[in-house]
Amino acid sequence: AQKITQTQPGMFVQEKEAVTLDCTYDTSDPSYGLFWYKQPSSGEMIFLIYQGSYDQQNATEGRYSLNFQKARKSANLVISASQLGDSAMYFCAMSPLPNRDDKIIFGKGTRLHILP
Amino acid sequence: EAQVTQNPRYLITVTGKKLTVTCSQNMNHEYMSWYRQDPGLGLRQIYYSMNVEVTDKGDVPEGYKVSRKEKRNFPLILESPSPNQTSLYFCASGRPGRGSSDTQYFGPGTRLTVL
């Protein structure tokens, strides 16, 4: 069975510093996808970034990058130059790749607080 | 503008009274999905659909039904709601890594209370 673990329930980071949010996963599937989402206090869910397990390079999207270490089964989210608006709950998720069972499972989240 | 519309946004109902939460997307995505979010449990997938007339169970499908008769709509049906279905529900459209969709959009959420 697949499992996602986010070990940091909460983090406090000074504005403008880089942030790393941890995510480890467990799966027996040979191919899979990894996702990160943001949920601000207003409640909406925002997709941030995606990494396929077969991708040669780590995914990047603006200030977000996914530090994918396949052997360690980790998919940490890195936010460069953090901003006050980055304060939110962040969820890591994974799914087997297409043509199979396509469920997406989520970690329990990390609440990030950016301090001015 | 890419949009996922969910209705209603808020609903208070009573046990056993059938209800439907609608979800509609304007991006021609094949993949759509429903999630519920509960404190301490994070998000859990209820059902997903990979295309018209193709639906499958997520992690917590009990007590829910879905249908996908057309690409843009993916309603969530609670035939006989119970208090343990009180939750925040999100519909989503698109799935990175599948087909032509490289992103995923969520609806604004439906806060459901079952008394």
Side-chain angles (χ1 to χ4, degrees), chain A residues 33 35 37 39 43-47 50 54 91 95-108, chain B residues 31 35 37 40-45 48 50 57-59 88 90 95-98 102-108:
Chain A
F35 311 72
Y37 301 88
Q39 187 175 38
E44 73 264 35
M45 287 293 297
I46 303 166
F47 164 78
Y50 169 82
Y54 50 80
F91 294 98
S95 177
L97 280 181
N99 302 321
R100 292 194 53 194
D101 174 7
D102 213 30
K103 293 179 188 178
I104 298 179
I105 63 164
F106 291 78
K108 297 215 174 2
Chain B
Y31 188 97
Y35 306 89
Q37 185 175 24
L41 295 176
L43 282 105
R44 293 177 292 170
Q45 192 179 46
Y48 60 95
M50 291 194 272
K57 297 176 182 177
D59 267 346
L88 177 59
F90 288 101
R95 186 218 187 279
R98 166 170 283 284
D102 60 357
T103 189
Q104 189 175 32
Y105 294 91
F106 284 80

Side-chain angles (χ1 to χ4, degrees), chain B residues 13-26:
Chain B
T13 189
V14 295
T15 299
K17 186 176 181 183
K18 180 179 179 180
L19 66 93
T20 299
V21 185
T22 63
C23 175
S24 181
Q25 51 103 353
N26 65 357

Side-chain angles (χ1 to χ4, degrees), chain B:
Chain B
E1 179 194 352
Q3 199 166 27
V4 178
T5 307
Q6 258 182 265
N7 282 296
R9 294 288 312 278
Y10 302 91
L11 179 61
I12 301 174
T13 189
V14 295
T15 299
K17 186 176 181 183
K18 180 179 179 180
L19 66 93
T20 299
V21 185
T22 63
C23 175
S24 181
Q25 51 103 353
N26 65 357
M27 294 158 282
N28 203 36
H29 286 154
E30 292 175 344
Y31 188 97
M32 296 184 74
S33 49
W34 276 101
Y35 306 89
R36 61 179 288 176
Q37 185 175 24
D38 302 288
L41 295 176
L43 282 105
R44 293 177 292 170
Q45 192 179 46
I46 304 171
Y47 268 96
Y48 60 95
S49 169
M50 291 194 272
N51 214 328
V52 175
E53 302 291 3
V54 181
T55 63
D56 213 337
K57 297 176 182 177
D59 267 346
V60 288
E62 296 79 19
Y64 305 94
K65 283 175 57 178
V66 293
S67 70
R68 188 91 182 273
K69 292 186 169 54
E70 47 192 341
K71 205 176 219 183
R72 63 182 292 119
N73 294 325
F74 190 43
L76 179 70
I77 302 154
L78 284 72
E79 294 268 3
S80 184
S82 62
N84 65 12
Q85 293 179 296
T86 292
S87 187
L88 177 59
Y89 292 87
F90 288 101
C91 176
S93 178
R95 186 218 187 279
R98 166 170 283 284
S100 58
S101 171
D102 60 357
T103 189
Q104 189 175 32
Y105 294 91
F106 284 80
T110 295
R111 189 164 291 283
L112 172 66
T113 301
V114 183
L115 301 175

